[in-house]
Amino acid sequence: MSGLEEPGRAAVPLTQECREVLERAFEYLDGEMADLDCERLKVHLAECASCVAQLAEDEKLKRAIREGCPCETAPTQLRARILVHITEVSAVAR
């Protein structure tokens, strides 16, 4: 797939900037993004309806998970291992 697909619409090609924004969407939604990066992302979102739409879908997913599992919290060590793995995978992908 070369872009975002919406029902009834052709795929929208993703720019490199779009890819970077979408790769970091959950970091942004979780409030874990550095201030400067957050500002850059907001500038992009102000100009890119496709990324805004995808970010809204990611936010819906997070909300559904949170509402479906409100009492469950991953152990601190597991969360740390997952974050390390995500960082390693992201570094290799770049």
Side-chain angles (χ1 to χ4, degrees):
M1 179 178 349
S2 63
L4 297 176
E5 294 183 14
E6 296 178 38
R9 294 189 179 181
V12 178
L14 293 177
T15 65
Q16 181 62 32
E17 189 173 8
C18 289
R19 283 186 201 91
E20 291 172 9
V21 164
L22 297 176
E23 284 175 6
R24 300 186 70 191
F26 288 104
E27 184 180 354
Y28 173 73
L29 292 173
D30 292 341
E32 297 173 348
M33 187 175 276
D35 290 342
L36 184 58
D37 292 337
C38 189
E39 288 306 314
R40 287 182 190 144
L41 187 136
K42 287 179 183 178
V43 167
H44 178 78
L45 291 175
E47 301 170 352
C48 185
S50 295
C51 285
V52 169
Q54 184 60 48
L55 200 66
E57 290 299 313
D58 291 345
E59 195 165 25
K60 281 190 218 175
L61 174 62
K62 283 185 60 67
R63 190 176 323 112
I65 292 169
R66 185 173 48 248
E67 290 171 0
C69 308
C71 298
E72 301 297 322
T73 303
T76 304
Q77 287 181 324
L78 175 60
R79 293 174 57 90
R81 286 186 8 231
I82 291 170
L83 288 173
V84 167
H85 183 70
I86 290 170
T87 302
E88 290 170 351
V89 168
S90 295
V92 169
R94 290 181 186 178

